[in-house]
Amino acid sequence: MTAMAPTRTATDLSFLLDHTSFVLRTRMAAALAEIGLTARMHCVLVHALEQERTQIQLAELGDMDKTTMVVTVDALEKAGYAERRPSSTDRRARIIAVTPAGAEVARRSQEIVDGVHREALGSIPEEEREVLVRALNRLATGHLGTPAEGGRRPRERAK
């Protein structure tokens, strides 16, 4: 005899957030690939342009482990978009400096990122967009702003 599945009593928020996040990431990856960048490369370039930041600081901002960050910066250096330089404030630290070519590709990649976000939000009726963004911001900074104790992001579990 087969047991009956329990009756769902709430919306499957996990599925909705996971699925839409996955699809958004795949669309973002495809769009950025057209100019030879990954989302991580875009993230490093944009945050490195904001202010002088070390590789460790950029890794934290981009939620990358050290190995992924090294590979990402190596790719940016190979493409001529960034370089490692001594910090102006700490002789022991090295910062990631964006080259002029990197600044231009960061400008283009930000246009792409903004376009992917606009397209996603554009698929929702205008009167619902602001409500969705406000609600997601409220979740991200409120109830779902901090992981449960011992909770780690998926990449942290694999270490």
Side-chain angles (χ1 to χ4, degrees), residues 10-23 136:
T11 300
D12 189 347
L13 185 59
S14 294
F15 167 76
L16 293 173
L17 293 174
D18 285 347
H19 177 75
T20 54
S21 178
F22 170 74
V23 172
L136 288 172

Side-chain angles (χ1 to χ4, degrees), residues 5 7-8 25 36 39 44 66 79 83-84 89 93 103 109 112 116 127 136 140 149-150 152 156-158:
T7 302
R8 186 178 305 279
R25 283 192 314 273
V44 169
K66 292 176 188 176
E83 56 192 30
R84 294 169 172 98
T89 59
S109 66
I112 290 168
V116 170
E127 61 276 4
L136 288 172
E149 193 167 323
R152 296 180 302 198
E156 293 173 330
R157 288 186 204 119

Side-chain angles (χ1 to χ4, degrees), residues 36-141:
L37 287 188
T38 65
R40 289 181 176 129
M41 293 166 81
H42 164 77
C43 179
V44 169
L45 288 173
V46 169
H47 288 301
L49 281 168
E50 291 171 343
Q51 67 184 58
E52 184 176 289
R53 290 192 165 114
T54 65
Q55 194 165 297
I56 292 169
Q57 291 169 323
L58 290 167
E60 288 172 2
L61 285 169
D63 193 32
M64 289 179 251
D65 60 45
K66 292 176 188 176
T67 302
T68 302
M69 184 63 186
V70 168
V71 170
T72 301
V73 175
D74 287 349
L76 289 169
E77 281 189 318
K78 185 177 180 183
Y81 296 148
E83 56 192 30
R84 294 169 172 98
R85 292 186 188 158
S87 168
S88 63
T89 59
D90 182 351
R91 293 182 311 175
R92 300 165 295 166
R94 299 192 53 81
I95 58 123
I96 304 305
V98 179
T99 65
E104 175 57 26
V105 81
R107 183 195 61 74
R108 289 175 46 215
S109 66
Q110 189 62 58
E111 290 173 357
I112 290 168
V113 167
D114 290 345
V116 170
H117 290 158
R118 256 192 311 278
E119 184 179 310
L121 289 171
S123 70
I124 300 169
E126 190 172 345
E127 61 276 4
E128 295 177 21
R129 288 179 212 155
E130 186 178 325
V131 173
L132 172 67
V133 172
R134 196 170 53 242
L136 288 172
N137 273 313
R138 184 169 289 156
L139 279 174
T141 60

